């Protein structure tokens, strides 16, 4: 397409390459991040994922021989050829990633006639991808690549052999690995192979396709329906460095308020104040800790956003303040669609301000969502985001502590929005095809910034639809799953891949949203939920109720046990949030992230790390009371009994219904708190350290858990060192906040510790 390589110019960190039929650009963002840009649509499409200038001053050299341009940074060697083929090597010349020079091989698998017949029977007989996409990058496969990341895509941890679409999609059916797209588009993945590891981030919001060797095992490819060819090669010596580099580009999840890490209860729908009051009372009655109750769409007046259904939910502010007194925080749902309803103030303001998207003829576009005829704010414009941000105040004033953004793919009931619906990207007129995948992102940004202006607390926004980089503004849940074992099994790889795609603060609907939950499924799900960053039980109208007490005493006791465990481990989770803000490393991690040289970890779908110190191996199969666990290198201690296990081995462990195997690595120090019924019940004055055998060092972070004072130095950093005999030395690395009254240590030996 671009023809022969002619010459080049270096300007600061950009190398402009002149080809026979056009120009390309290579940007040295830092020594191990290289941007490749071919402006197919326009010179520069402003990135939604990357904010601010990420370039670091980097020494590099460029030289051109006849048919190849060579760029060297301290970390990478990049060679650029005719047709803008680009190959990436380590600095010492080991090939990492190379463009595939041949044509893609498309093998028609069935005749057109057969395809039609099969479609008649309801089969999806499309089976082949397009021959080529307006934007396309094809990379060679060496044969041993594993692929991780790509956000919330269904299926297994390692995506090799599968293909996916990036088009934010809400499909309420039970999901399997045959699903191509879900709610989020995060076109970033990590390739791990024997000779190295790297990431690729395709910063293009149009509908796109990623094929990891499904079409042909000689290559993997990325194709998009429009936009620029604009991608980042993300290096790093280890997988952890690739994740850190990716989040350096797109941002890390900011430290949340401490209570957001507690247990959340939700249901679509608690239909009245009475319903909610009963739920709140039951948690305290059964002494099951709970911090948050979510209000689904029924709290609104006729599903009109930024209104209150005073008839069923009492006068605005009354219920929230009653709940607050009992230690509950309130999170209210807000959908993007505004009811088409002249006379309703939000609709009227939007019309007066020209804030809604328009159809190809220039009329305000109308579709149907919960409230009936609905119009859609055009969040690509700053003034629309500002307006939407201001609207949050209505809920904050009522006493809401967090905003739950849903249906923001955007979902519409009367067919999808046509591609040509007019949207804006800043001042530039564009269309739905370009803005669809960033709609949820921009809505979350508007909500986050609005909350930021409304009060001096760390905003808590939960969103369903996302693009790369949304982690800066919102926590996420994986949307409408089902109370099915297959969904519980998928929850683990899904959260792990979200984590290494930047989304550290993520969770699934514990117990499952659609279909009926069973007591056993809820018990096993709460064991995963207790270790998921966002821990929320949520279910749909029409399904069996699944709050912890809804089944029997055993189910209640198991829920209580794991929710209490979560409250005990809150300082560990909070430390991981602090680490995440600094480094981008997620809370819940695939084992491969820290043990990439150990091939047994490459496809571990049923166990995970929480931070670097803890390994969780939940039972994910109906009826199972044993679990096969792989422990990587080192000695691991059973968290509950202190029993040691030598790593690099598989174990078949007993795991009756009330047990979830959890291990802690030798030399670890795990900080714990007493179990409270909710964060805020009493100040956490005592920190209890669980000291596992072996020498170790652990840095613990503490602040007020609420606002941004920590950014002005109001926090403590403790360094604890254990010498392997149970003795711990403490050093204050930073003191800017009231310290604990006591730090106690418990040396773990082979015994029951909980
Ligand atoms: C969507 C959401 C779900 C919510 C429901 C009603 O299906 O994914 O969580 O309960 O809408 O608002």
């Amino acid at each position: 397409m671009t023809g022969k390589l002619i010459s080049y110019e270096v300007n600061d960190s950009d190398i402009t390459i002149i080809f026979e039929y056009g120009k390309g650009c290579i940007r040295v963002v830092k020594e191990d991040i290289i941007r490749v840009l071919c402006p197919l649509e326009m010179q520069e499409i402003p990135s939604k994922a990357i904010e601010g200038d990420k370039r670091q001053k980097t020494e590099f050299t460029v030289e051109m021989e006849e048919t190849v341009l060579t760029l060297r940074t301290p970390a990478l060697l990049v060679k650029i050829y005719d047709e803008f083929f680009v190959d990436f090597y380590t600095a010492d010349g080991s090939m990492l990633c190379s463009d595939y020079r041949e044509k893609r091989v498309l093998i028609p698998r069935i005749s057109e006639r057969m395809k039609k017949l099969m479609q008649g029977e309801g089969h999806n007989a499309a089976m082949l991808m397009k021959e080529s996409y307006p934007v396309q990058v094809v990379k060679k496969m060496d044969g041993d690549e594993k692929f991780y990341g790509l956000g919330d895509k269904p299926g297994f941890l390692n995506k090799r052999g599968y293909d996916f679409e990036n088009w934010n999609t809400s499909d309420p059916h039970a999901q399997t690995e045959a699903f191509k797209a879900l709610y989020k588009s995060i076109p970033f993945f990590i390739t791990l192979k024997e000779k190295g590891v790297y990431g690729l981030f395709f910063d293009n919001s149009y509908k796109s396709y990623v094929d990891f060797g499904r079409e042909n095992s000689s290559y993997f490819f990325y194709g998009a329906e429009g936009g620029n060819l604009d991608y980042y090669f993300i290096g790093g010596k280890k997988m952890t460095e690739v994740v850190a580099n990716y989040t350096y580009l797109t941002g890390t999840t900011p430290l949340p308020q401490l209570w957001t890490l507690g247990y959340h209860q939700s249901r679509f729908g608690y239909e009245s104040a009475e319903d909610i009051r009963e739920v709140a009372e039951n948690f305290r009655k059964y002494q099951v800790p709970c911090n948050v109750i979510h209000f689904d769409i029924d709290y609104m007046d006729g599903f009109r956003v930024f209104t209150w259904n005073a008839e069923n939910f009492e006068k605005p502010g009354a219920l929230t303040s009653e709940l607050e007194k009992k230690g509950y925080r309130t999170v209210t749902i807000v959908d993007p669609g505004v009811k088409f309803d002249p006379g309703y103030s939000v609709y009227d303001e939007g019309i007066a301000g020209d804030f809604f998207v328009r159809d190809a003829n220039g009329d305000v576009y109308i579709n149907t969502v919960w409230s009936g005829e609905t119009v859609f704010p055009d969040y690509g414009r700053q003034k629309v985001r500002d307006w939407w941000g201001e609207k949050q105040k209505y809920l904050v004033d009522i006493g809401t502590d967090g905003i739950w953004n849903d249906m923001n793919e955007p979902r519409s009931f009367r067919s999808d929005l046509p591609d040509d619906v007019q949207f804006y990207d800043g001042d530039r007129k564009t269309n739905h095809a370009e803005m669809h995948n960033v709609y949820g992102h921009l809505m979350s940004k508007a909500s986050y910034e609005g909350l930021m202006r409304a009060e001096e607390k760390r905003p808590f926004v939960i969103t369903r639809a996302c693009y790369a980089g949304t982690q800066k503004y919102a926590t996420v849940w994986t949307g409408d799953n089902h109370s099915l074992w297959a969904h519980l099994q998928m929850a683990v790889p899904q959260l792990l891949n979200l984590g290494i795609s930047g989304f550290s603060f993520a969770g699934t609907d514990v117990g499952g949203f659609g279909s009926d939950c069973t007591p056993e499924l809820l018990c096993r799900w709460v064991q995963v939920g207790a270790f998921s960053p966002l821990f929320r039980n949520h279910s749909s109208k029409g399904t069996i109720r699944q709050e912890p007490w809804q089944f029997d005493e055993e189910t209640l006791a198991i829920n209580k046990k794991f929710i209490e465990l979560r409250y005990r481990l809150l300082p560990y989770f909070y430390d991981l949030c602090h680490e995440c803000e600094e480094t981008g490393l997620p809370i819940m991690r695939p084992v491969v992230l820290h043990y990439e040289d150990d091939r047994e970890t490459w496809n571990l779908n049923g166990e995970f790390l929480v931070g670097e110190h803890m390994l969780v191996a939940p039972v994910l199969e109906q009826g199972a009371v044993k679990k096969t666990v792989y422990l990587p290198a080192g000695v691991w201690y059973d968290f509950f009994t202190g029993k040691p296990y030598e790593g690099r081995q598989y174990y078949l462990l007993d795991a009756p219904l009330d047990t979830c195997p959890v291990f802690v690595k030798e030399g670890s120090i795990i900080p714990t708190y007493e179990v409270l019924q909710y964060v805020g019940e009493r100040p956490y004055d005592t920190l209890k350290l669980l000291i596992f055998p072996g020498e170790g060092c652990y840095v613990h972070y503490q602040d007020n858990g609420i606002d941004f004072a920590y950014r002005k130095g109001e926090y403590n950093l403790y360094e604890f060192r254990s010498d392997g005999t149970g003795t711990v030395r403490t050093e204050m690395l930073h003191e800017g906040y009231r310290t604990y009254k006591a730090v106690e240590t418990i040396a773990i030996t082979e015994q029951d510790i909980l």
Side-chain angles (χ1 to χ4, degrees), residues 118-139:
M118 285 176 70
Q119 277 164 346
E121 216 238 330
H123 291 286
N124 171 12
M127 301 222 186
L128 273 187
M129 298 241 179
K130 278 192 203 158
E131 212 162 308
S132 71
Y133 296 95
V135 178
Q136 181 172 289
V137 180
V138 188
K139 302 280 185 195

Side-chain angles (χ1 to χ4, degrees), residues 268 296-297 333 370 404 406-407 464 477 480 513 538:
F268 171 40
D296 209 317
I297 51 175
I333 198 166
W370 298 117
W404 168 17
D406 188 24
M407 311 295 277
R464 190 169 76 171
W477 94 107
D480 295 348
F513 178 75
H538 181 53

Side-chain angles (χ1 to χ4, degrees), residues 30 32-33 96 148 188-192 196-201 232-250 500-502 583-585 593 596:
K30 65 198 261 296
D32 49 5
I33 303 183
L96 283 169
Y148 306 104
F188 164 70
F189 54 87
I190 298 176
T191 308
L192 175 66
V197 62
Y198 62 88
L200 290 173
F201 169 45
Y232 293 79
F233 177 90
I234 300 174
K237 286 192 270 313
K238 298 242 137 231
M239 209 165 154
T240 45
E241 282 184 30
V242 177
V243 174
N245 271 337
Y246 172 69
T247 52
Y248 165 76
L249 263 188
T250 59
I500 56 175
S501 309
T583 66
L585 287 186
L593 186 62
E596 65 200 51

Side-chain angles (χ1 to χ4, degrees), residues 336 366 388 580 600:
I366 302 174
W388 194 260
C580 177
E600 299 304 321

Side-chain angles (χ1 to χ4, degrees), residues 86 181-182 185 197 267 296 332 447 516 580 606 624 628 715:
V86 190
L182 289 176
S185 290
V197 62
R267 180 164 169 91
D296 209 317
T332 44
S447 306
D516 285 339
C580 177
T628 306
Y715 66 91

Side-chain angles (χ1 to χ4, degrees), residues 344-356:
Y344 155 45
S345 65
V346 182
Y347 173 81
D348 289 348
E349 283 170 30
I351 290 292
D354 185 21
F355 295 155
F356 301 128

